Amino acid sequence: MKQPLVEGQLVGRSVSRREDPRLLTGRGRFVDDIALPGMLHAQFVRSTVAHGEITSVDLTAVREVPGVVAAFTADDLELADITAELGRPLSEFVPTAMPVLARDRVRYVGEPVAIVVARDAYAVEDGLEAAKVGYATLPPVTSEQTALAPGAPLVHEEATRNTLVDVSLFATDGIDEIFDAAACVVHVESRTGRQNALPLETRGVVAHWDDREEQLVLQTCTQVPHQVRTVASRCLRLDERAVRVVVPDMGGGFGQKCVVGREEIAAAAVALRLRRPVKWIEDRKDALSASFLAREQHYEVRAAFDADGRILGLDADVVCDMGAYSCYPFTAGIEPLMASAEMPGVYRVPAYRVRGRAVTTNKAPTAPYRGVSRPQYVMVVERLFERAARELGLDAVEIRRRNVITEFPYTGVNNITYDPGSYLESLNLCERLVKDEGWYEKRSAAAAEGRHIGIGYSCFSERTGYGSAAFAQRKMRVVPGFDISEVRMDTSGAVTVTTGTMSHGQSHETTMAQIVSDELGLDIGKVRLHQGDTERITYGWGTFASRSITVGGSAVRLAAAKLGEKLCRIAAARWDAARDDVELAGGGAHHRDGRVLTYEELADVAYLQAHLLPKDIEPGLSATATFDVFNDGTFSNATHGVVVELHENTGQVEILRYVCVEDCGVAINPQVVEGQCRGGIAQGIAGALFEQVTYDDQGEPSATSFMDYKVPTAHEIPDVLIHHLETPCAFTETGAKGAGEGGTIGAPAAVLNAVNDALRPTGVELDHTPITPETVHRALNLELSS
Amino acid sequence: MTESGNATDVLLLTLDVNGEQHEVITEPRRTLVDVLRHDLRLTGTHVGCEHGICGACTVLVDDRPTRACLMFAAQAEGARIRTVESLSDGPELSDLQRSFSEHHGLQCGFCTPGFLMLAEGFLAERPEATKDEIREVVASNLCRCTGYQTIVEAIDGCAVARRCPKEF
Ligand code: FES
Ligand code: FES
């Protein structure tokens, strides 16, 4: 890490958001706000069966519907398939092609079979109703158990036993003996519900051909513009230079928009063929049933402890139901590889064995979702500690204290080297905050009145600074990790920063500008961020895995520093002085002797008086830098503490208090970090208590509107007390670690532990999420009847 | 079939939006939110579900917060409609908008116009609303980013400031 940014600067301050004025006045521009002359509206004829051969597609009547302009099947468009790959042997990974439109076979309800375009969004719906698709249905595979059962129907012929990924990343020698000899062995079997990341703005694209630039332009709401460009050019067999991806304002993504969707490619293909702009906006029904989903996982895990509560070993079997296809670029490996690689997390575990599998089923495919597998594995590991504490008669926090990593850097049994964090400090402080508010006394008093209050914690770290090295270890064929930034100054001394990351609510326009403003000693009003445009920067990996500030922000700071260096050299040349006598501050270059050249004056020389520059300094003021993380990455950490009350009559879980102690290194903008925590916690609570995508045994999704898919409101989500700790990161240019996902990771474990604490008198322990009122009601009534 | 083919009748409507009269020729089945967004190009009002749950499309119809996706434009004839575009005058943000920014009551900003119009209508009706009442009302819309706390605080902050302007 470079020196901490100097005093009196913007980094570390809750600078007010620069994106707010346009968003608050309705002047934000989201993809559905875009209208181009002659634009057509697209929607998809989607499969109504979960598994079947397509016997016929008849679009004749569709084309007769008033307002419909054209309708295409896969055969009409002749697009190349989207295939995501891992560089692993076939025994570990089976690549499967995802056609842009289904050909021959459908594998989930909602799979796009044909695309219809009409002159308006109403006519296109009329058109869809006239489509006739024949299916010869095949038996659907609707759960991970049926997928793995001998003789199960195959979702993809090439994937025997419906297994796309099967890896055993770690197996410590002698682990069985360790379990045999242990004083205490606990077991957890846990299932977590399928969830929808559910950005409030659904997916969508406006595609058109630009004759002047000879480019297909996709204005699309994606977290990964460059990857969409790569896939679009390959599917459409265009040079990559003939595709431009531009991202407007984005109403959330949470991972669902960090993979390439087949619909955006199909809409682009139609725009290319018809040479007319085509808009596709996903409706909520499609978003709930046919978008990328996540999180349906099954864990069988054992842990061995000594009599003092020290963990000796962890043995895990993880199976993830990835649905019908591998997402691009991450593949179906995203969840099992994340779980296998990142366990056991914050604890010193000497022995570890893990098997991770991805199975394919006839459900909508999955994509990364905020936290990726860590909400699940953290929940399971935290359950193991709670269970061991009960068996050994230890306090639930004390057993964690005895096991968390305290010496850094620490290399774990999973070969990860953890950078310094505040695992123990956050645990202690979180417990103290809960105690100081008197919740332990309130719990006892409530119990005396026959009420059910419980307290639960979760303690975790999360890798956030994934560089190319970390992703390469996963053996991804397309390896994310680095990022590129350009910082450019114009003749007025104002700066435009371009980044390869893409904000979809994380306030990059503010935080990136804070970084540049400090680096150059330039008023933040003079700094503007440009993001989400493949024409502006050669490549970028977009925004996911909490990488924007760690990796993208580091590239931004490096580029600004390079530009700063050039400004210093120009100033030194103008003064005929030594470079070392010049430094930047307050909007200009300062000589030790007090002389000042403002940025405007320096920029004037660089562009308009370039003859004044010495030969070894090129005209113009722009600098580009790349940044990558070459070691194992950077680890944010946190402890969450939750107090819940269970209601006997309704089985409802009410959250009475939520406390979060988090450490993401240097917080560029604390208010933004808190916003990320709170939003993340809300999504974690949603997974713990409410949201689940369910299917019937024919593979028909049963939660296709907000009536059935229960998204928590302000009634269910409590206020959150946040306390920051700050262990600066040694591996990033900003000292920051990522802050986007921790809330979601910590919440399910803490909520589940709190519920179990409240259920303690009943003897029932719950290990599955979502925790439904029915389960809680049943558990409490067990107690009543006994 | 050609694009000029037309199966449905059209209506001529006059809509009063943000104090301006607009004439629109439209199909009777067209919703108010679609007419606002796509015919009048007032794209500040958003669509999150089209089935009345998320509240992203909330506008004021005769001062009452209303789901514009659940109403046909034809039903709004004769009513006074206000959208998020009406909240501020020129570049200056209104006190409610400023409060959202100060409390970080928005992240992606997609739900924000709906919450602003919800709050605008509610506070006009109940300026003395308590924080609990505000939370109750906030629970009628969905936000996927903020966890709601800062939205409640923003609206409460604005209400408090309106009640005792001198302290602020
Ligand atoms: S769009 Fe109207 S309530 Fe969701
Ligand atoms: S700020 Fe993104 S949905 Fe509310």
Side-chain angles (χ1 to χ4, degrees):
Chain A
M1 183 185 129
K2 284 177 52 166
Q3 283 311 298
L5 302 146
V6 253
E7 291 293 309
Q9 41 172 1
L10 297 182
V11 165
R13 289 186 18 212
S14 295
V15 170
S16 59
R17 292 212 322 166
R18 312 181 82 217
E19 33 284 88
D20 284 351
R22 72 168 186 278
L23 297 172
L24 286 162
T25 49
R27 295 199 309 268
R29 192 176 55 162
F30 297 87
V31 66
D32 189 36
D33 301 345
I34 297 166
L36 298 178
M39 187 172 76
L40 300 173
H41 295 256
Q43 284 300 342
F44 293 86
V45 175
R46 292 178 181 274
S47 173
T48 51
V49 304
H51 198 189
E53 306 282 351
I54 300 176
T55 52
S56 63
V57 185
D58 182 357
L59 302 176
T60 327
V62 175
R63 297 188 181 104
E64 296 296 317
V65 170
V68 168
V69 173
F72 303 95
T73 62
D75 288 343
D76 299 330
L77 294 178
E78 295 177 342
L79 297 164
D81 296 343
I82 304 171
T83 306
E85 287 178 76
L86 293 175
R88 288 181 183 272
L90 270 180
S91 59
E92 291 187 349
F93 174 72
V94 181
T96 47
M98 176 165 74
V100 174
L101 293 174
R103 272 193 313 265
D104 314 327
R105 180 113 169 236
V106 287
R107 295 185 171 87
Y108 61 95
V109 171
E111 177 157 12
V113 175
I115 179 169
V116 178
V117 283
R119 64 155 193 250
D120 74 28
Y122 288 66
V124 81
E125 299 282 345
D126 296 340
L128 295 185
E129 284 175 15
K132 290 191 192 68
V133 185
Y135 302 99
T137 55
L138 296 165
V141 179
T142 58
S143 72
E144 134 261 329
Q145 295 107 302
T146 50
L148 290 173
L154 293 181
V155 179
H156 294 269
E157 301 299 338
E158 59 272 40
T160 48
R161 304 207 63 185
N162 290 313
T163 302
L164 298 182
V165 174
D166 188 349
V167 288
S168 298
L169 294 187
F170 304 98
T172 309
D173 282 345
I175 188 165
D176 289 320
E177 291 72 33
I178 292 173
F179 272 87
D180 289 344
C184 162
V185 173
V186 288
H187 169 254
V188 165
E189 190 260 325
S190 172
R191 289 179 186 281
T192 54
R194 202 170 191 80
Q195 253 187 288
N196 193 315
L198 211 97
L200 198 58
E201 181 202 28
T202 55
R203 298 179 301 148
V205 64
V206 175
H208 76 279
W209 177 260
D210 181 333
D211 273 308
R212 245 178 106 233
E213 297 290 341
E214 297 183 321
Q215 274 185 324
L216 179 72
V217 182
L218 274 67
Q219 298 185 77
T220 181
C221 55
T222 180
Q223 298 169 231
V224 290
H226 285 87
Q227 286 75 64
V228 172
R229 182 182 70 177
T230 300
V231 174
S233 77
R234 289 181 187 179
C235 286
L236 298 165
R237 301 180 176 88
L238 295 171
D239 287 344
E240 209 165 333
R241 72 114 199 105
V243 182
R244 176 182 189 180
V245 176
V246 183
V247 188
D249 279 322
M250 243 174 116
F254 315 116
Q256 191 178 75
K257 296 175 185 168
C258 82
V259 295
V260 182
R262 45 212 309 201
E263 292 92 343
E264 53 198 326
I265 305 299
V270 173
L272 185 65
R273 171 176 282 238
L274 300 180
R275 294 288 154 117
R276 283 185 69 172
V278 171
K279 175 191 273 191
W280 165 67
I281 300 296
E282 182 179 53
D283 70 15
R284 184 56 67 185
K285 176 171 174 282
D286 290 345
L288 281 166
S289 56
S291 259
F292 294 97
L293 305 171
R295 302 252 202 270
E296 189 168 10
Q297 303 188 352
H298 179 216
Y299 286 74
E300 283 279 350
V301 189
R302 293 184 310 145
F305 288 84
D306 70 14
D308 294 330
R310 287 201 174 72
I311 189 166
L312 304 171
L314 190 73
D315 188 3
D317 186 1
V318 185
V319 181
C320 307
D321 178 343
M322 304 307 290
Y325 294 99
S326 264
C327 62
Y328 186 96
F330 298 96
T331 80
I334 179 81
E335 289 192 357
L337 289 172
M338 179 68 96
S340 302
E342 308 290 319
M343 259 189 294
V346 285
Y347 300 107
R348 278 188 306 262
V349 179
Y352 176 43
R353 178 163 62 199
V354 66
R355 180 181 186 192
R357 278 175 287 174
V359 301
T360 176
T361 56
N362 293 116
K363 301 182 193 172
T366 49
Y369 171 28
R370 201 173 196 173
V372 183
S373 290
R374 289 160 296 180
Q376 290 76 37
Y377 98 69
V378 167
M379 189 174 99
V380 172
V381 170
E382 294 291 288
R383 288 299 305 136
L384 290 165
F385 275 94
E386 297 265 326
R387 196 152 287 167
R390 283 193 195 195
E391 292 213 358
L392 295 166
L394 286 170
D395 174 76
V397 175
E398 178 55 28
I399 194 168
R400 290 180 172 87
R401 259 195 288 273
R402 289 183 191 178
N403 286 286
V404 289
I405 299 163
T406 49
E407 308 275 304
F408 298 96
Y410 176 88
T411 301
V413 69
N414 51 8
N415 279 337
I416 289 174
T417 300
Y418 297 86
D419 65 341
S422 50
Y423 304 171
L424 183 60
E425 296 82 345
S426 69
L427 181 62
N428 287 338
L429 178 57
C430 189
E431 186 195 34
R432 172 116 318 278
L433 291 170
V434 173
K435 280 194 169 150
D436 286 352
E437 288 186 7
W439 287 107
Y440 285 84
E441 291 80 13
K442 288 180 205 164
R443 180 178 65 176
S444 317
E449 295 168 18
R451 288 165 57 208
H452 315 274
I453 288 185
I455 299 173
Y457 296 92
S458 69
C459 183
F460 62 93
S461 71
E462 45 162 336
R463 173 149 39 171
T464 57
Y466 282 92
S468 309
F471 281 115
Q473 270 190 359
R474 302 260 166 101
K475 301 199 165 46
M476 287 183 66
R477 258 283 295 117
V478 176
V479 184
F482 64 87
D483 235 292
I484 305 182
S485 173
E486 189 207 37
V487 177
R488 184 192 297 172
M489 185 175 275
D490 62 27
T491 62
S492 64
V495 159
T496 298
V497 183
T498 310
T499 171
T501 62
M502 179 61 223
S503 176
H504 39 286
Q506 298 95 334
S507 322
H508 294 176
E509 288 165 57
T510 309
T511 52
M512 297 291 194
Q514 286 177 261
I515 293 170
V516 171
S517 174
D518 279 2
E519 186 62 41
L520 292 176
L522 182 64
D523 185 274
I524 193 168
K526 293 249 181 201
V527 186
R528 176 180 85 94
L529 183 73
H530 194 90
Q531 56 186 337
D533 185 344
T534 55
E535 287 296 288
R536 298 291 187 103
I537 200 101
T538 51
Y539 215 81
W541 282 101
T543 289
F544 55 86
S546 303
R547 63 187 302 280
S548 298
I549 287 299
T550 50
V551 182
S554 291
V556 164
R557 192 177 180 205
L558 285 176
K562 261 197 197 172
L563 176 66
E565 181 58 28
K566 183 163 186 182
L567 288 163
C568 287
R569 287 177 59 221
I570 295 174
R574 296 299 297 139
W575 288 322
D576 219 358
R579 157 71 188 86
D580 288 349
D581 289 336
V582 181
E583 64 179 44
L584 303 177
H590 297 251
H591 191 277
R592 270 176 208 287
D593 65 13
R595 280 180 290 175
V596 179
L597 277 166
T598 64
Y599 284 148
E600 204 173 341
E601 289 166 332
L602 290 169
D604 192 71
V605 173
Y607 290 106
L608 307 180
Q609 299 276 307
H611 62 286
L612 298 176
L613 292 170
K615 281 209 177 52
D616 62 340
I617 299 184
E618 286 178 6
L621 287 174
S622 78
T624 302
T626 62
F627 183 80
D628 202 346
V629 179
F630 292 104
N631 45 32
D632 288 341
T634 142
F635 290 81
S636 294
N637 68 272
T639 300
H640 290 204
V642 184
V643 185
V644 301
E645 175 161 9
L646 311 182
H647 295 283
E648 218 163 72
N649 294 335
T650 59
Q652 191 207 335
V653 179
E654 183 187 355
I655 298 177
L656 303 177
R657 189 62 171 138
Y658 205 113
V659 178
C660 164
V661 178
E662 71 82 34
D663 186 343
C664 64
V666 172
I668 308 293
N669 185 318
Q671 194 178 43
V672 167
V673 169
E674 288 180 17
Q676 289 295 310
C677 284
R678 292 203 169 92
I681 287 168
Q683 291 189 5
I685 292 172
L689 297 176
F690 304 102
E691 293 177 6
Q692 188 170 17
V693 179
T694 46
Y695 289 83
D696 70 12
D697 59 2
Q698 290 308 302
E700 179 79 34
S702 41
T704 57
S705 82
F706 283 144
M707 304 291 269
D708 309 302
Y709 190 77
K710 283 179 269 163
V711 183
T713 70
H715 268 308
E716 292 82 30
I717 302 301
D719 286 354
V720 176
L721 174 73
I722 297 171
H723 195 99
H724 301 278
L725 298 175
E726 187 172 304
T727 310
C729 177
F731 308 135
T732 61
E733 288 293 319
T734 53
K737 306 171 180 183
E741 299 169 278
T744 318
I745 295 170
V751 170
L752 185 58
N753 285 337
V755 169
N756 278 310
D757 186 47
L759 284 177
R760 196 179 275 254
T762 67
V764 176
E765 286 186 46
L766 304 178
D767 295 312
H768 307 321
T769 56
I771 310 161
T772 60
E774 292 80 17
T775 354
V776 174
H777 192 258
R778 207 174 312 126
L780 289 174
N781 288 331
L782 246 180
E783 179 200 19
L784 292 178
S785 58
S786 63
Chain B
M1 195 69 208
T2 61
E3 281 175 70
S4 54
N6 203 347
T8 31
D9 293 334
V10 289
L11 300 172
L12 171 64
L13 301 178
T14 308
L15 293 179
D16 174 345
V17 185
N18 301 334
E20 275 180 50
Q21 303 294 313
H22 297 267
E23 296 200 327
V24 199
I25 296 173
T26 188
E27 293 178 39
R29 63 177 175 172
R30 218 158 152 79
T31 61
L32 177 58
V33 72
D34 282 345
V35 167
L36 290 172
R37 287 179 47 76
H38 300 300
D39 298 337
L40 305 185
R41 300 295 298 144
L42 291 166
T43 54
T45 305
H46 295 153
V47 172
C49 71
E50 292 179 293
H51 54 259
I53 308 285
C54 75
C57 64
T58 305
V59 298
L60 298 183
V61 176
D62 287 335
D63 303 324
R64 300 182 70 85
T66 303
R67 309 284 210 228
C69 73
L70 291 186
M71 195 172 186
F72 294 115
Q75 293 173 288
E77 232 186 350
R80 275 172 299 112
I81 302 160
R82 274 187 70 197
T83 69
V84 66
E85 283 87 354
S86 73
L87 284 184
S88 49
D89 202 5
E92 283 296 298
L93 297 181
S94 75
D95 56 348
L96 179 65
Q97 290 167 316
R98 279 201 313 275
S99 194
F100 264 73
S101 187
E102 279 157 22
H103 290 89
H104 193 24
L106 65 157
Q107 289 182 22
C108 76
F110 193 78
C111 68
T112 311
F115 277 104
L116 285 168
M117 298 319 285
L118 179 72
E120 179 79 1
F122 175 65
L123 291 185
E125 198 175 310
R126 276 197 57 75
E128 71 287 10
T130 65
K131 201 167 174 184
D132 281 346
E133 288 169 343
I134 289 170
R135 180 171 282 276
E136 191 88 2
V137 167
V138 165
S140 46
N141 284 14
L142 297 179
C143 172
R144 195 56 171 171
C145 300
T146 60
Y148 304 107
Q149 177 178 347
T150 53
I151 296 178
V152 174
E153 286 167 355
I155 299 170
D156 183 53
C158 175
V160 170
R162 282 182 187 178
R163 286 197 296 266
C164 32
K166 274 178 230 88
E167 285 175 35
F168 291 85

